[in-house]
Amino acid sequence: MMETWGARVHPSPSTATESGKKILERDPASPGSLGIAISEAVEVAARSADTKYCLGSVLNHVLLHQTVIGEECLEQLAAAGDVPDVVIGCTGGGSNFGGLVFPFMREKLAGRMSPAFKAVEPAACPTLTKGVYAYDFGDTAGLTPLMKMHTLGHGFVPDPIHAGGLRYHGMAPLISHVYELGFMEAIAIQQTECFDAALKFARTEGIIPAPEPTHAIAAAIREAMECKRTGEKKVILMAMCGHGHFDLASYEKYLRGDMVDLSHSDEKLQEALAAVPKI
């Protein structure tokens, strides 16, 4: 689609940047990651006088922009005469989750409602549930400023799960901060459970979700099934933040029975964490 409108697309890591070349030298079969793509984009912007780079997640201004999601949800729930008991969102860099929950977190801190907040991340990239809270680079090559966040180490390259938008080694500093304060929870879910939830959602709602929000859907189903078990009634709000029409190859793989759960090795994680700057 991008090339149809005249763009040139380079799969990352690419040979078009020094960052990409170095990564391919170390690992010719590198599956890439958001951190690697950021390194390549920052490098191109830094050396090009006519180019600026604006990150689409992680940073404070992005989360602020995304709060339109939560603000609209507040109005929709008010129109229905409801308040949520739990708010659930998928979490990669944190912009979608922060955009959804921050307006509700404001209302909770003001004493106007009391929902729980649950971030859902891939088991193959468990930044909140397995990472450390430390200053680290936002990209793989170490070109960005250091940010205090939950990180798996800027050199951590997640296994190639189908939710590409969640394959990021770090987390938004704002999300990391409220997680450290205990204002929210985090869980990690394997991709086969997520795609099973996606099929249930699609066959119920008529919308095929992108792989990223399938994590939120899986967690919402867990929450609903627990309510069914206990008899407790809850209003569950979750963000279905994108359609899966460009990800149908992933659904084909799942429906054929070829999709497998991927996880990180402790050795790989410890190696990446060892490279986190000591500050």
Side-chain angles (χ1 to χ4, degrees):
M1 184 179 285
M2 293 163 69
E3 289 176 338
T4 296
W5 286 313
R8 288 181 62 197
V9 179
H10 301 273
S12 178
S14 74
T15 57
T17 67
E18 291 305 311
S19 301
K21 288 176 185 174
K22 288 177 182 176
I23 289 163
L24 288 171
E25 284 173 8
R26 291 197 303 268
D27 181 7
S30 172
S33 70
L34 291 178
I36 292 171
I38 292 169
S39 292
E40 296 202 82
V42 169
E43 180 184 322
V44 170
R47 73 186 185 198
S48 307
D50 62 347
T51 304
K52 305 295 182 187
Y53 176 66
C54 182
L55 191 63
S57 186
V58 180
L59 302 181
N60 294 355
H61 68 277
V62 184
L63 273 70
L64 176 62
H65 176 269
Q66 293 292 83
T67 54
V68 67
I69 303 168
E71 296 292 0
E72 286 189 3
C73 287
L74 277 168
E75 293 192 11
Q76 291 171 356
L77 283 162
D82 262 326
V83 293
D85 295 298
V86 58
V87 184
I88 300 171
C90 64
T91 316
S95 61
N96 164 73
F97 181 75
L100 174 67
V101 307
F102 277 176
F104 289 93
M105 200 171 285
R106 176 197 66 216
E107 296 300 299
K108 182 174 183 176
L109 291 171
R112 290 186 283 268
M113 59 178 66
S114 189
F117 305 106
K118 292 191 178 183
V120 193
E121 57 188 9
C125 192
T127 309
L128 286 169
T129 53
K130 293 288 182 69
V132 297
Y133 190 42
Y135 281 96
D136 198 9
F137 295 103
D139 73 303
T140 302
L143 301 177
T144 69
L146 292 169
M147 298 181 287
K148 193 169 188 184
M149 59 181 179
H150 285 86
T151 178
L152 297 168
H154 59 276
F156 183 83
V157 178
D159 286 333
I161 58 170
H162 291 279
L166 304 184
R167 294 179 63 246
Y168 183 60
H169 67 273
M171 183 55 60
L174 287 176
I175 299 294
S176 295
H177 180 60
V178 297
Y179 185 61
E180 283 296 303
L181 291 175
F183 290 174
M184 54 173 278
E185 306 168 41
I187 59 173
I189 300 181
Q190 291 281 7
Q191 65 178 353
T192 53
E193 180 182 347
C194 294
F195 272 83
D196 179 67
L199 261 59
K200 289 184 173 74
F201 185 88
R203 292 167 183 177
T204 305
E205 299 294 334
I207 301 169
I208 297 175
E212 290 79 8
T214 64
H215 292 72
I217 294 168
I221 290 175
R222 284 187 184 184
E223 196 78 28
M225 295 305 292
E226 180 62 14
C227 288
K228 184 176 182 180
R229 186 186 69 82
T230 63
E232 184 181 4
K233 292 184 178 181
K234 283 187 180 180
V235 176
I236 303 168
L237 172 65
M238 66 107 192
M240 212 302 285
C241 57
H243 68 70
H245 297 172
F246 298 146
D247 298 282
L248 294 177
S250 301
Y251 279 88
E252 182 180 15
K253 192 170 184 178
Y254 177 75
L255 290 165
R256 284 202 313 257
D258 293 338
M259 183 178 289
V260 296
D261 287 329
L262 298 171
S263 190
H264 61 282
S265 70
D266 288 337
E267 181 182 355
K268 177 180 174 182
L269 177 57
Q270 292 308 314
E271 182 183 346
L273 289 174
V276 172
K278 303 296 188 292
I279 294 177

